[in-house]
Amino acid sequence: MSSIDLRGLVPAPVTPFTPDGDVDHGQLRRLARWLSDVQGVKGLVCLGHAGEGTFLTPREQVAVIETLVDEVGDRTPIIAGITGEGTAVAAEETARAKAAGAAAGLVYSSHGWLRFGFQQGAPQERYREIFEATGLPLILFQYPDVTKATYDLDTQLEIAAQPGVFATKNGVRNMRRWYTEIPALRREVPDLQVLTCHDEYLLPTMFDVDGALVGYGSLAPEPLVQLIAAGKAKDYAAAHAIHEQLLPVTKAVYHRGSHMEGTVALKLGLVHRGVLDDATVRSPLRPLAQGAAAEIGAALDEARLPAVGVTV
């Protein structure tokens, strides 16, 4: 079992770009350093949905990992999103991530399963073959219930019990399943670290987890660390107060037409907070409608999330 401890906040930071669309490694260093300096942040996950990981070339993906490892890897584990479609492709991607210094991999479902579903046993095989090929510790990623790539409980239990799997990022977004499946995972695989990724409604899941692995953490790490602590203390009043404080930001960032727009909104928010200089995204993401930056900035001000002084 991996010795990596993610019991706290694990932000999934965005990937900054220059106005010309190149990865901006200076801004990436600034963002990583700011997040790593927040007490309670236990790791950083790059190259996921929030990080536009599938929009980067393999060379760019490696360079992002290397920059993060060089900047904060001595004190904060860097976890790479593993998104390759085929198992062999994903294993090669994982090997590149390990060579670049990643401490673990967050394994995404094969993308074809989103539309067509998966054959029984295929997800277990994906995790097993990636770990056998690379030896990199892995995180089980549970997709939303509305997709065909969501794993049934037996599949989750079998993956969680496999060598190399030390945590689960759960975003099932179905509380009936959550209240059934999380206790079963706790009971059957007690060493498994359980992390919520319900960015848009964290409060209902905060009392059942070891931490949160969320893109939201790259914009509002300070109150989210407090929210996790309140959940672990079973202090509902404190957790609810933080939830209400953040609700304007939650709505401005995640209650949009598409969850993918949250990445664009996160970047606009980080510009407002003074962490990033630019909110450029890559196609197929598009800029938000005129007025979105002001809306998000007003929400951050209402939530008392001030600009921060971060230097390159």
Side-chain angles (χ1 to χ4, degrees):
M1 185 62 64
S2 169
S3 60
I4 301 171
D5 179 8
L6 301 182
R7 297 176 180 89
L9 179 63
V10 186
V14 300
T15 299
F17 298 111
T18 68
D20 293 332
D22 296 323
V23 175
D24 191 321
H25 289 272
Q27 288 194 84
L28 183 61
R29 287 180 181 276
R30 181 195 306 174
L31 175 58
R33 188 164 60 251
W34 174 60
L35 291 171
S36 188
D37 284 343
V38 175
Q39 187 173 4
V41 167
K42 305 303 288 288
L44 299 178
V45 173
C46 61
L47 306 179
H49 291 134
E52 299 173 75
T54 56
F55 307 162
L56 305 183
T57 68
R59 183 176 297 177
E60 288 175 322
Q61 291 173 345
V62 167
V64 164
I65 297 169
E66 289 176 339
T67 292
L68 292 171
V69 170
D70 180 66
E71 188 65 30
V72 301
D74 59 336
R75 55 196 172 105
T76 306
I78 303 303
I79 299 150
I82 306 301
T83 57
E85 175 77 356
T87 300
V89 173
E92 287 190 3
E93 181 183 359
T94 306
R96 291 194 299 269
K98 182 179 181 181
L106 171 64
V107 181
Y108 285 62
S109 293
S110 185
H111 292 175
W113 298 345
L114 289 165
R115 181 179 179 187
F116 299 111
F118 57 86
Q119 295 170 285
Q120 288 299 317
Q124 297 91 315
E125 184 177 83
R126 180 172 172 85
Y127 282 83
R128 182 172 59 253
E129 292 190 9
I130 290 173
F131 181 69
E132 288 177 351
T134 67
L136 194 69
L138 302 176
I139 300 173
L140 163 61
F141 192 171
Q142 170 67 327
Y143 273 32
D145 181 69
V146 296
T147 74
K148 292 186 178 182
T150 192
Y151 300 142
D152 57 83
L153 177 56
D154 286 343
T155 297
Q156 291 178 73
L157 289 171
E158 290 176 15
I159 294 172
Q162 290 181 180
V165 178
F166 73 100
T168 181
K169 171 185 177 179
N170 191 297
V172 69
R173 289 169 169 79
N174 176 331
M175 295 311 294
R176 182 173 63 182
R177 289 188 61 186
W178 176 275
Y179 292 136
T180 300
E181 295 174 3
I182 296 300
L185 284 164
R186 289 286 200 198
R187 182 177 61 252
E188 299 298 326
V189 194
D191 291 334
L192 187 74
Q193 298 176 44
V194 177
L195 310 172
T196 181
C197 71
H198 292 76
D199 302 79
E200 65 272 49
Y201 32 82
L202 287 169
L203 183 64
T205 63
M206 196 51 62
F207 301 91
D208 305 314
V209 295
D210 299 304
L213 195 170
V214 284
Y216 205 163
S218 68
L219 176 61
E222 312 97 329
L224 289 181
V225 166
Q226 297 173 358
L227 181 59
I228 292 167
K232 290 183 178 181
K234 308 303 182 192
D235 187 342
Y236 178 80
H240 187 264
I242 298 166
H243 168 267
E244 291 298 300
Q245 173 193 348
L246 283 173
L247 191 56
V249 181
T250 305
K251 290 180 177 180
V253 174
Y254 288 107
H255 293 189
R256 311 195 72 88
S258 163
H259 191 80
M260 290 300 295
E261 293 181 32
T263 293
V264 196
L266 287 173
K267 289 188 173 183
L268 290 170
L270 285 163
V271 170
H272 185 80
R273 295 204 68 186
V275 181
L276 296 185
D277 298 327
D278 191 87
T280 299
V281 293
R282 274 194 179 173
S283 178
L285 286 181
R286 297 171 54 83
L288 299 184
Q290 187 174 3
E295 172 198 353
I296 293 163
L300 287 163
D301 293 343
E302 183 179 351
R304 305 184 301 281
L305 290 174
V308 294
V310 184
T311 58
V312 177

